[in-house]
Amino acid sequence: MKKSHLLLIITLLFSVCGNLKAQTSSQFLDQLKFEDFVNLIKNPYQEAAQKCGLSFLYKYETDAGVEGDADGSSTYYGWGIEKGKKQEYGYELKCTSDHACYFYYQEDTSRQAAMCFKDKEDADRFFEKALEYGLVILGNSYHIADKKLPNGTVKVDSFGNYNIITEMIKPEKDDGFHQGFYVVRFYYFS
């Protein structure tokens, strides 16, 4: 009788631990509406980031360099991640979750952004949410239009009927600037 109780308790513990892990892994992405993320892409400010479930981490500003570099700034918003020690450019980012992610927005002579995920499955799931929302596919590249597409993702031969905000690159592991993260990059159209 005692062995069966012990087996039942162990089974329940594994079940609860498994459910907690599943909840943690999907908590950010479950609450994220991709239309809110598109608003963040359009307006990369704290209010739009908070609506996505992201918290302000820091903003780093650069001055024009001697070699003619432009002034610029980089802003970071994150989930399951904290600002760490100051580094030469910005701050260290310390993950507090295995499913940490952050949004990076850079503006200087051009604008670019990235959504960075610690977990590959999270990055792939984010991309799937984008496809469900509706992307414009031209050739082998993906693009976000300024308005949600009524019929979801479409393949086109030209952007004639769409006002494109950014190009969106499929998730890829970064061993450079966003080292150790799976990165979805966004390149803004002028």
Side-chain angles (χ1 to χ4, degrees):
M1 183 92 159
K2 286 186 177 186
K3 285 184 181 182
S4 64
H5 285 294
L6 181 60
L7 184 59
L8 178 62
I9 290 171
I10 290 172
T11 304
L12 286 172
L13 282 173
F14 278 117
S15 174
V16 168
C17 291
N19 286 339
L20 287 175
K21 184 176 182 182
Q23 288 174 356
T24 302
S25 67
S26 61
Q27 185 179 6
F28 172 75
L29 287 170
D30 282 349
Q31 63 86 35
L32 177 69
K33 295 178 186 163
F34 201 78
E35 49 268 21
D36 289 337
F37 183 78
V38 171
N39 186 47
L40 176 60
I41 287 287
K42 292 179 184 178
N43 307 293
Y45 306 109
Q46 192 163 346
E47 186 177 314
Q50 287 173 334
K51 196 163 187 184
C52 291
L54 300 168
S55 301
F56 177 76
L57 295 170
Y58 73 91
K59 183 173 186 171
Y60 180 77
E61 301 205 22
T62 55
D63 295 327
V66 212
E67 299 173 12
D69 294 339
D71 288 348
S73 68
S74 301
T75 308
Y76 294 78
Y77 300 100
W79 183 90
I81 201 160
E82 297 175 344
K83 177 174 87 169
K85 297 177 185 176
K86 181 144 180 54
Q87 297 182 325
E88 184 177 358
Y89 299 105
Y91 292 84
E92 170 189 22
L93 295 175
K94 297 166 66 174
C95 296
T96 59
S97 167
D98 291 340
H99 300 276
C101 61
Y102 67 93
F103 176 74
Y104 161 83
Y105 175 75
Q106 178 186 343
E107 188 169 20
D108 46 36
T109 56
S110 63
R111 297 183 307 151
Q112 63 178 325
M115 192 67 200
C116 309
F117 295 90
K118 195 66 181 163
D119 183 80
K120 182 183 184 326
E121 288 178 16
D122 291 345
D124 292 339
R125 188 166 166 217
F126 176 82
F127 196 80
E128 288 298 319
K129 279 186 169 247
L131 290 170
E132 289 169 14
Y133 171 82
L135 298 177
V136 178
I137 303 173
L138 178 64
N140 293 324
S141 60
Y142 300 85
H143 302 85
I144 298 175
D146 68 340
K147 294 184 179 156
K148 184 174 181 172
L149 303 181
N151 298 319
T153 296
V154 296
K155 289 186 177 187
V156 299
D157 294 324
S158 78
F159 293 132
N161 298 326
Y162 303 95
N163 186 17
I164 301 298
I165 304 168
T166 70
E167 180 180 5
M168 181 177 180
I169 309 299
K170 282 184 170 183
E172 57 191 15
K173 185 156 188 183
D174 191 321
D175 292 323
F177 187 75
H178 304 285
Q179 191 167 7
F181 283 82
Y182 295 88
V183 180
V184 178
R185 288 180 170 76
F186 303 91
Y187 297 104
Y188 287 81
F189 279 40
S190 297

